[in-house]
Each structure stands twice: as structure tokens, then as C-alpha cells.
Amino acid sequence: MTADDAILLALGSINLDLQVRAERWPGPGETLQVHDLLRTGGGKAANRAFLGRRLGVRACLIGHVGDDDFADEALRGPRAVGVELSQVARVAGQATALAMIVVRADGDKTILLAANANDAWSERDVEAAAQVVAAAPAGSVLTVDLEVPKAVVLAAVGAARARGLQVVLDPSPADRMPDELYPLIDVITPNPEEARTLVGIAVETERDAIRAGEQLCARGVRIACVKLPDGGAALVSADRREVVAPLDVEVVDKTGAGDAFAGALGVALLERQELVQAVKFAVAASSLAVTGYGSQAAYPDRGRLERARAGRERRT
């Protein structure tokens, strides 16, 4: 990375997704017939980087794949849109992470994840990732998730803070959240289940989301964007309490919607959008992400996203 242009850094998981549709969840011991097999790249960091490029910004993916034939398949989408992949390492003797996803008729999903290479980081790997972040152009934004080891997350976030970069954290899986990370985060983006794990609040209403955001800010986070069950989000900071409603869309598949939120928010911060507008931008991207089957394939480009936002503003 030698250019002076700011860049969206996406550190975290890279997966091969095997996805099917089902009419319902299976019962105990039941073999359930499914359909619409989709085999595609996924993973939280890969999805954020993919969306960043689709929205027109530079994006660099930092993570691990295995030395198997799944690796190229997992990276095909990011490579096709121009994500910088020089910081993706192939780990000898490891399989690429595999996500097995079942999507129900209402768009809800369940995921079985084999972390594999995502969890295989040596001390040298951790240092290398931190150095990449430390060398990023001024004004860059680091987006990170918890589907990689705590050591690499803390090292990369620490390097971002020293460099003066903003940090967006998707706290998934929430049970991996270390207490020492809260004060280092600019924006945290939990969904309702993650908020419950982090602060013990069942997020069912706007008020619940605001309360959860307040507790996250009390732990040191500068801004909390707590997602609501309907796809909206509550923005909480020291001096703001605001709820952003989702777009009115038909839900096809919720896979990757949270990654779209975090990725689009990172793009908005990179572009120095005003905070409420940045959250509206992220909510719009997340709303559009549920309208198609799969994650990356459903992500909007800039034109579609801006048209959807403009349409909502005209209606309101």
C-alpha cells in the first residue's frame, strides 16, 4: 500500500460459504430436504472488503485462508471487484474456514462455522497485521471482527489507535469480546443477540437498543450502533440518542446483512459523512443486503444504494 489515498482495512474472517434454503428448521434426528445450493465466498472481513469496493473505495483484506482448493473460491468475489489481497496469507497445513448456512423461508438463517485458518495466527502473523495497519494512509478506517484470535484484534486495533485511525468493531462472536477492547473502539455494531451477550439486555424495542448502547458507551466505546430486530439501528454516543429505521424491503436472506452494515459504516466514516448520515448509509446497505440470496452477491453498488436512500427521503 504505497498510495496516499485512505483505505478501508478489513481484518477478520474469510470463509467459503455453503448455503441452502429450507422451509423450516429440522427436528431432532430428522433429515430435512433442502434446495438452492449456493457455494460462494464469505466471512465477515471478506464481506466488508467486498462491499467497500462495490461502493467505490479502496479496500484491503487482512486475514488467513488455508492451503487447500477452497482458498481461491473463498477469495473469488473480493478478487473480482478489486479488493487488495496482498495481506491474505495461506496457512500451510490448514483448511480454509467453512460456513454451512441454512436459510429459512422467512430469510432467517442458522450457521455452522469451522474456523480453521481463521484461528491459525502465529506471533509473527500478529505482528505483520499490526504493521500493515500502522502503515495505512492517514484517514484510513479499520474494520474488525472477533472471528480471529484476540491477540491479532488487540494488536491491530492498538496500531490503529497509535496511527490515529478510526476503528469499527463487529463484536461477533460476542463471547470472544475482551474487556480491554472497549476503550479502544470508536464504533461497535452489535445485533440484538450480541447486545444481550455483551450487556445482558434483550433488545426487542428501540428503548432496549438505546439502553444497551448506553451501557456499551459506559464501558469506553465512543459510539454504539445497536441493530434492531427489524433491521434498523439505534445510535448512541455521549450526546446523541437516535433511531434509524430500515428501508421497506422484502426479506429474502439475512445472511451477511450485519457485515454489510459494518462495511458500509466503515465506508461512510472513510468519506467523513456526518454521523447520523453514516448510520443511515449503513442501515440502507444492510436493508438492501437482505433482498437477494447469499451475502456478497446481494450487496448493492453505490448507484443502487443512493437511489434507495433518495427514494426513502422522498417518501418521508
Side-chain angles (χ1 to χ4, degrees):
M1 293 181 294
T2 59
D4 292 333
D5 296 335
I7 190 168
L8 182 74
L9 299 165
L11 184 151
S13 60
I14 305 167
N15 307 338
L16 176 66
D17 288 356
L18 298 179
Q19 184 167 323
V20 294
R21 298 193 69 95
E23 299 307 312
R24 55 180 174 81
W25 304 140
E30 178 185 9
T31 298
L32 182 68
Q33 294 291 324
V34 297
H35 53 92
D36 293 343
L37 172 65
L38 176 65
R39 179 167 171 156
T40 185
K44 288 185 168 298
N47 286 348
R48 296 192 304 271
F50 180 95
L51 179 61
R53 280 300 298 146
R54 182 156 276 186
L55 294 176
V57 305
R58 289 182 66 208
C60 175
L61 179 58
I62 308 170
H64 284 176
V65 292
D67 61 357
D68 54 8
D69 57 353
F70 284 180
D72 287 335
E73 201 167 354
L75 295 171
R76 184 173 298 144
R79 180 178 287 113
V81 296
V83 172
E84 297 180 22
L85 301 177
S86 61
Q87 303 306 320
V88 176
R90 287 179 178 258
V91 184
Q94 286 286 338
T96 299
L98 180 65
M100 293 155 284
I101 305 167
V102 179
V103 181
R104 206 167 53 190
D106 62 1
D108 205 358
K109 87 281 187 188
T110 185
I111 301 175
L112 299 174
L113 176 63
N116 301 334
N118 285 337
D119 266 348
W121 290 71
S122 67
E123 290 185 13
R124 180 176 296 179
D125 295 332
V126 171
E127 293 172 2
Q131 289 171 5
V132 171
V133 176
S140 296
V141 174
L142 173 64
T143 65
V144 64
D145 58 76
L146 301 177
E147 289 188 347
V148 292
K150 178 176 75 172
V152 67
V153 173
L154 289 171
V157 171
R161 301 303 301 179
R163 181 76 176 102
L165 309 183
Q166 294 189 81
V167 178
V168 177
L169 173 69
D170 179 352
S172 175
D175 58 5
R176 282 189 167 190
M177 181 69 182
D179 289 341
E180 62 266 37
L181 189 55
Y182 288 105
L184 305 177
I185 299 303
D186 291 292
V187 188
I188 194 169
T189 65
N191 65 24
E193 294 76 19
E194 291 154 2
R196 182 199 293 266
T197 299
L198 294 174
V199 297
I201 293 175
V203 175
E204 299 174 353
T205 67
E206 294 177 359
R207 181 56 194 153
D208 295 335
I210 290 172
R211 288 175 50 233
E214 290 170 342
Q215 291 204 23
L216 290 166
C217 289
R219 296 185 184 186
V221 173
R222 188 167 69 86
I223 299 163
C225 293
V226 181
K227 286 169 275 188
L228 288 155
D230 66 359
L235 165 64
V236 179
S237 65
D239 58 353
R240 304 193 84 148
R241 306 286 187 277
E242 185 146 352
V243 175
V244 175
L247 301 182
D248 184 13
V249 297
E250 180 181 355
V251 177
V252 173
D253 177 8
K254 295 180 181 179
T255 308
D259 306 339
F261 184 98
L265 186 60
V267 170
L269 296 176
L270 193 75
E271 295 174 343
R272 297 181 174 83
Q273 294 186 29
E274 186 273 331
L275 183 57
V276 173
Q277 292 303 314
V279 177
K280 289 181 177 180
F281 188 81
V283 167
S286 181
S287 296
L288 292 174
V290 306
T291 63
Y293 186 47
S295 52
Q296 295 174 11
Y299 286 173
D301 60 16
R302 176 74 67 157
R304 183 181 177 214
L305 181 54
E306 295 297 355
R307 288 191 298 273
R309 294 181 69 199
R312 176 164 72 174
E313 290 171 3
R314 284 195 298 270
R315 289 191 297 273
T316 58

